[in-house]
Amino acid sequence: MLLLKTLSVRRLLNAGLGMTSFALSAATKRTFVWGKPFILTVEPTNLCNLSCPLCITGNGRMTRRVGTMTFERFKTVVDEIGSYLFYLLLYQQGEPFINKDFLKFVEYAKGRKIFVTTSTNGHYLNPDTARQTVASGLDSMIVSIDGADQNSYEVYRVNGKLSRVVAGVEHLVRQREIQNSRTPKIFIQFIVMRHNELQIAEMKKLAKRLGADKLLTKTVHVENTEEASAWLPQNESLTRYRIEGTHLLPKRIVKGACIRPWTSALINWDGSVVPCCFDKNARHDFGSVSDTNSIKKIWTSKKYDSFRDLMLTNRSSLDICANCSQGLRLYR
């Protein structure tokens, strides 16, 4: 229902153009690009306070520079394409609240009537930040809690404190009541792994006790068989993978082109534009947003179109597609 507030003739027409150009491209195996992205992910920062072992920020596999996006860069992006956007995801590799301007980002986007969501580990949700978060107009947020007790929680959320996150959610819920606000919708995300797979019932009770809107039980993302043997649940219904010999494979391998390069884009903290969240180290960098290089120019550039051409004709050659979750049931 909250998305209905974002509707406008321009946004609807633009979305129609994007969907139609994808359909024609998929049918003809020739790239057509009409319209602008109507879903956008923006990375406020790729810095994080935790050291989660399966995250490239936490495990040291991040090869791109670290930093935080300036409000000026964010404003440039929203001023250019905000009128086309339905949905803005303000997170990627880091903890969004580390960026001191994060809530300023939210407020600016909400001023353009864009649906805004984020994902956080919850450690920065003190009483004042919770108050500002609710006041910002943020529509929804994911709060990651991957254990029903500290011992289980810290196995993955290394350096994290469960009690601090729980208190943060309580602050948010209290502020929604104080400000008489229905937002942000609070989704507790529980990644099911080998060490915590028996805690789903406890997590449901915790989410209900905290006053969260929903518990999202998510399957874990791994990169290889070594990680799979260490982290995948023993209950096969709780994993998105199958192992064949030495190969780790998604249970469902999607054939055909992915719609994302025709409908959405991701802008990293430094302005670099990449196809989606699976390009974590910006291997497919289409250019950086700047005063002289707009997102519209990048969206229709030869470099972006070359990627779309491969998506249409040889998707298996695209490294970031090998472990993609498209078409998989991520939440249980």
Side-chain angles (χ1 to χ4, degrees), residues 4-14 83-84 86:
L4 292 176
K5 296 180 180 180
T6 70
L7 294 181
S8 70
V9 173
R10 176 176 290 186
R11 285 174 175 149
L12 288 170
L13 287 175
N14 179 65
S83 60
Y84 299 100
F86 282 105

Side-chain angles (χ1 to χ4, degrees), residues 109-125:
K110 289 307 301 175
R112 296 298 189 94
K113 296 184 178 179
I114 303 167
F115 185 99
V116 183
T117 187
T118 194
S119 180
T120 176
N121 61 47
H123 283 76
Y124 292 87
L125 295 173

Side-chain angles (χ1 to χ4, degrees), residues 61-251:
R61 296 177 187 170
M62 178 79 69
T63 58
R64 56 189 174 94
R65 292 185 306 140
V66 296
T68 59
M69 179 176 282
T70 64
F71 177 70
E72 289 71 25
R73 190 187 298 275
F74 178 78
K75 183 176 180 295
T76 296
V77 171
V78 174
D79 285 348
E80 183 185 1
I81 64 166
S83 60
Y84 299 100
L85 295 178
F86 282 105
Y87 203 76
L88 175 64
L89 298 87
L90 281 177
Y91 63 95
Q92 168 60 345
Q93 283 308 122
E95 166 52 48
F97 282 91
I98 286 177
N99 187 321
K100 61 181 178 59
D101 288 327
F102 170 66
L103 291 176
K104 194 175 177 181
F105 288 11
V106 176
E107 291 173 353
Y108 194 75
K110 289 307 301 175
R112 296 298 189 94
K113 296 184 178 179
I114 303 167
F115 185 99
V116 183
T117 187
T118 194
S119 180
T120 176
N121 61 47
H123 283 76
Y124 292 87
L125 295 173
N126 57 47
D128 190 51
T129 302
R131 176 187 60 78
Q132 294 178 55
T133 298
V134 174
S136 72
L138 181 71
D139 292 288
S140 68
M141 71 187 317
I142 290 170
V143 182
S144 296
I145 303 181
D146 302 317
D149 56 72
Q150 178 63 28
N151 288 337
S152 178
Y153 175 81
E154 66 185 3
V155 171
Y156 186 69
R157 298 290 167 177
V158 178
N159 301 323
K161 298 294 182 184
L162 177 60
S163 59
R164 188 170 173 179
V165 182
V166 167
V169 175
E170 291 173 337
H171 295 322
L172 275 174
V173 171
R174 189 174 302 117
Q175 280 299 320
R176 287 197 311 193
E177 294 172 352
I178 292 171
Q179 298 183 41
N180 193 27
S181 175
R182 293 185 299 167
T183 58
K185 298 296 184 184
I186 303 168
F187 304 115
I188 303 298
Q189 179 175 275
F190 176 62
I191 302 178
V192 185
M193 293 169 273
R194 181 159 301 190
H195 67 279
N196 66 11
E197 64 181 302
L198 299 179
Q199 293 189 329
I200 295 176
E202 292 177 73
M203 287 300 303
K204 289 180 179 178
K205 292 178 182 178
L206 176 61
K208 184 177 182 179
R209 177 173 67 81
L210 291 177
D213 294 280
K214 191 174 183 179
L215 175 70
L216 303 176
T217 304
K218 187 179 182 181
T219 57
V220 67
H221 174 94
V222 295
E223 297 286 348
N224 50 57
T225 53
E226 289 76 21
E227 290 181 350
S229 63
W231 297 97
L232 291 188
Q234 293 183 328
N235 184 342
E236 292 187 2
S237 69
L238 298 174
T239 175
R240 66 179 83 166
Y241 300 100
R242 68 181 191 275
I243 297 175
E244 294 184 1
T246 59
H247 298 288
L248 177 73
L249 299 171
K251 286 182 177 178

